[in-house]
Amino acid sequence: MTRSLRTATTATMLLAGLGLAHAAHAQSGSTKGLFAGIQYSGTSVSVRSAAQDLEFGNGFGLHAGLGLSDNVSVLVNFDRSVLTGSDNAQDVKLTQYDALLRFNVLPGAGSPVRLFVTAGATGRTANAGRDFDGIVPTGGAGVHLYVTPKFALNGTALWTFGNLTRASQLSNRTDETFRSTATRVQAGVSLYLFSR
């Protein structure tokens, strides 16, 4: 794990700790209904059988979803980060699109703090002169803190596993395939549009 990723993880944990300290004064909200938000996204990618890993990079993201109940939500997520190679090679633009299910596991609908797990699929592209892409599984966990019944802070860690492939420029055949693991740390806000 790179030093920058450790720093971002520590910052997210501090945000979560401050959120827990604030929870006694926060108001609970319902996770039912439509929500949307923005987030900071920090990403690193480890690539097996490649000459180098991609060091930590940061960027931004957007998300939107629908709370089906106080425990289950469906969510679409977009993140774009710029990463650098470990030998200061050309920057890589990594774009990730997620379709996720989110399950609130603790402590319950009446609490302003919700711990959750999430899983789904990620479509991702990486561009560094030539394009790589792939659709792969994603899983993670996070914390959700209501500041008001309509406004919540989020901290999430996601892991994405699977292949990045590069298509041949002359045909539809796959030119190269790399097994990779992406780690993302997100800190953001959500607005619950029709919450009580």
Side-chain angles (χ1 to χ4, degrees):
M1 187 181 289
T2 67
R3 184 176 186 166
S4 298
L5 185 57
R6 279 190 295 249
T7 302
T9 302
T10 302
T12 301
M13 297 306 260
L14 286 173
L15 175 67
L18 290 172
L20 291 174
H22 177 68
H25 303 291
Q27 303 175 28
S28 65
S30 174
T31 57
K32 293 180 187 176
L34 293 173
F35 61 93
I38 61 172
Q39 71 259 357
Y40 161 83
S41 180
T43 305
S44 73
V45 178
S46 173
V47 183
R48 185 184 297 176
S49 303
Q52 62 179 334
D53 289 338
L54 297 175
E55 298 292 344
F56 178 83
N58 56 42
F60 70 94
L62 304 169
H63 62 269
L66 176 64
L68 304 175
S69 71
D70 277 323
N71 293 322
V72 179
S73 299
V74 292
L75 165 73
V76 292
N77 186 58
F78 161 83
D79 284 322
R80 176 169 289 158
S81 298
V82 177
L83 295 82
T84 57
S86 56
D87 61 357
N88 295 319
Q90 179 180 3
D91 288 346
V92 175
K93 293 178 184 172
L94 181 64
T95 303
Q96 300 180 94
Y97 301 90
D98 306 299
L100 301 169
L101 274 175
R102 179 188 286 175
F103 300 96
N104 294 322
V105 292
L106 290 172
S111 173
V113 177
R114 313 278 170 85
L115 301 178
F116 62 84
V117 295
T118 188
T122 297
R124 57 187 178 168
T125 62
N127 184 306
R130 291 184 69 185
D131 289 336
F132 291 80
D133 60 24
I135 298 175
V136 292
T138 292
V143 63
H144 196 72
L145 169 70
Y146 280 96
V147 178
T148 72
K150 291 187 178 231
F151 183 76
L153 302 176
N154 306 300
T156 309
L158 294 171
W159 292 272
T160 301
F161 309 93
N163 293 335
L164 278 171
T165 60
R166 180 168 67 191
S168 170
Q169 294 181 340
L170 302 177
S171 70
N172 280 335
R173 292 184 305 106
T174 296
D175 194 17
E176 290 180 279
T177 299
F178 295 102
R179 286 199 62 73
S180 66
T181 302
T183 303
R184 276 183 282 169
V185 178
Q186 299 172 330
V189 297
S190 293
L191 177 65
Y192 283 79
L193 304 174
F194 304 110
S195 191
R196 296 183 302 279

Short mmCIF file of all heavy atoms in Angstrom, two decimals, residues 14-15 34 50 66 96 98 101 117 133 147 166 179 183 189:
data_model
loop_
_atom_site.label_atom_id
_atom_site.label_comp_id
_atom_site.label_asym_id
_atom_site.label_seq_id
_atom_site.Cartn_x
_atom_site.Cartn_y
_atom_site.Cartn_z
N LEU A 14 -10.63 9.12 10.06
CA LEU A 14 -10.83 10.27 10.94
C LEU A 14 -12.19 10.91 10.70
O LEU A 14 -12.89 11.29 11.64
CB LEU A 14 -9.73 11.31 10.75
CG LEU A 14 -8.37 10.95 11.34
CD1 LEU A 14 -7.32 11.97 10.93
CD2 LEU A 14 -8.46 10.86 12.85
N LEU A 15 -12.58 11.01 9.42
CA LEU A 15 -13.90 11.53 9.08
C LEU A 15 -14.98 10.66 9.72
O LEU A 15 -15.94 11.17 10.30
CB LEU A 15 -14.08 11.60 7.56
CG LEU A 15 -15.46 12.00 7.06
CD1 LEU A 15 -15.77 13.45 7.41
CD2 LEU A 15 -15.55 11.80 5.56
N LEU A 34 -35.31 8.33 -3.45
CA LEU A 34 -34.24 8.75 -4.35
C LEU A 34 -33.17 9.53 -3.60
O LEU A 34 -33.48 10.34 -2.73
CB LEU A 34 -34.78 9.62 -5.47
CG LEU A 34 -35.71 8.94 -6.47
CD1 LEU A 34 -36.29 9.97 -7.43
CD2 LEU A 34 -34.98 7.86 -7.25
N ALA A 50 2.40 -7.12 -14.98
CA ALA A 50 2.72 -5.89 -15.70
C ALA A 50 4.04 -5.36 -15.18
O ALA A 50 4.53 -5.74 -14.13
CB ALA A 50 1.62 -4.85 -15.49
N LEU A 66 -31.63 4.52 -5.35
CA LEU A 66 -32.99 4.39 -4.87
C LEU A 66 -32.98 3.47 -3.65
O LEU A 66 -32.54 2.32 -3.76
CB LEU A 66 -33.90 3.82 -5.96
CG LEU A 66 -35.34 3.54 -5.56
CD1 LEU A 66 -36.07 4.84 -5.21
CD2 LEU A 66 -36.06 2.81 -6.67
N GLN A 96 -14.44 4.57 -13.78
CA GLN A 96 -15.14 3.38 -13.28
C GLN A 96 -16.63 3.70 -13.11
O GLN A 96 -16.99 4.72 -12.55
CB GLN A 96 -14.54 2.94 -11.95
CG GLN A 96 -13.06 2.59 -12.11
CD GLN A 96 -12.41 2.14 -10.83
OE1 GLN A 96 -12.34 0.95 -10.58
NE2 GLN A 96 -11.93 3.08 -10.05
N ASP A 98 -20.10 1.92 -11.61
CA ASP A 98 -20.55 0.82 -10.75
C ASP A 98 -22.06 0.71 -10.76
O ASP A 98 -22.77 1.71 -10.78
CB ASP A 98 -20.13 1.08 -9.29
CG ASP A 98 -18.65 1.33 -9.14
OD1 ASP A 98 -17.86 0.43 -9.48
OD2 ASP A 98 -18.28 2.42 -8.67
N LEU A 101 -25.51 -2.99 -5.08
CA LEU A 101 -26.53 -3.16 -4.05
C LEU A 101 -25.88 -2.79 -2.73
O LEU A 101 -24.75 -3.21 -2.45
CB LEU A 101 -27.00 -4.61 -3.98
CG LEU A 101 -28.13 -5.02 -4.91
CD1 LEU A 101 -28.39 -6.50 -4.78
CD2 LEU A 101 -29.39 -4.24 -4.63
N VAL A 117 -22.57 -2.81 3.83
CA VAL A 117 -21.74 -3.57 2.89
C VAL A 117 -22.36 -3.36 1.51
O VAL A 117 -23.56 -3.09 1.39
CB VAL A 117 -21.65 -5.07 3.24
CG1 VAL A 117 -20.93 -5.26 4.57
CG2 VAL A 117 -23.02 -5.71 3.28
N ASP A 133 -10.01 -1.98 -20.98
CA ASP A 133 -11.33 -1.95 -20.37
C ASP A 133 -11.68 -3.32 -19.81
O ASP A 133 -10.95 -4.28 -19.98
CB ASP A 133 -12.40 -1.46 -21.35
CG ASP A 133 -12.52 -2.32 -22.60
OD1 ASP A 133 -12.14 -3.50 -22.55
OD2 ASP A 133 -12.99 -1.81 -23.62
N VAL A 147 -26.51 14.00 8.86
CA VAL A 147 -26.32 15.28 9.52
C VAL A 147 -27.69 15.90 9.76
O VAL A 147 -27.96 16.51 10.80
CB VAL A 147 -25.41 16.20 8.69
CG1 VAL A 147 -25.25 17.55 9.35
CG2 VAL A 147 -24.06 15.54 8.47
N ARG A 166 -6.99 -5.18 -23.45
CA ARG A 166 -6.74 -4.21 -24.51
C ARG A 166 -7.05 -4.89 -25.83
O ARG A 166 -6.49 -5.94 -26.15
CB ARG A 166 -5.29 -3.73 -24.48
CG ARG A 166 -4.99 -2.73 -25.58
CD ARG A 166 -3.67 -2.05 -25.39
NE ARG A 166 -2.57 -2.98 -25.55
CZ ARG A 166 -1.31 -2.68 -25.23
NH1 ARG A 166 -1.01 -1.51 -24.73
NH2 ARG A 166 -0.37 -3.56 -25.40
N ARG A 179 -4.49 -9.17 -15.09
CA ARG A 179 -5.28 -9.29 -13.85
C ARG A 179 -4.94 -8.11 -12.97
O ARG A 179 -3.77 -7.80 -12.78
CB ARG A 179 -4.97 -10.60 -13.13
CG ARG A 179 -5.60 -11.78 -13.83
CD ARG A 179 -5.74 -13.01 -12.96
NE ARG A 179 -6.59 -12.86 -11.79
CZ ARG A 179 -7.91 -12.78 -11.82
NH1 ARG A 179 -8.54 -12.76 -12.96
NH2 ARG A 179 -8.60 -12.70 -10.71
N THR A 183 -8.19 -0.55 -5.60
CA THR A 183 -8.66 -0.17 -4.27
C THR A 183 -9.10 1.28 -4.35
O THR A 183 -8.34 2.13 -4.82
CB THR A 183 -7.53 -0.32 -3.23
OG1 THR A 183 -7.07 -1.67 -3.26
CG2 THR A 183 -8.02 0.04 -1.85
N VAL A 189 -20.90 13.13 0.03
CA VAL A 189 -22.17 13.56 0.62
C VAL A 189 -23.32 13.05 -0.24
O VAL A 189 -23.17 12.89 -1.45
CB VAL A 189 -22.26 15.10 0.75
CG1 VAL A 189 -21.21 15.62 1.69
CG2 VAL A 189 -22.14 15.78 -0.60
#
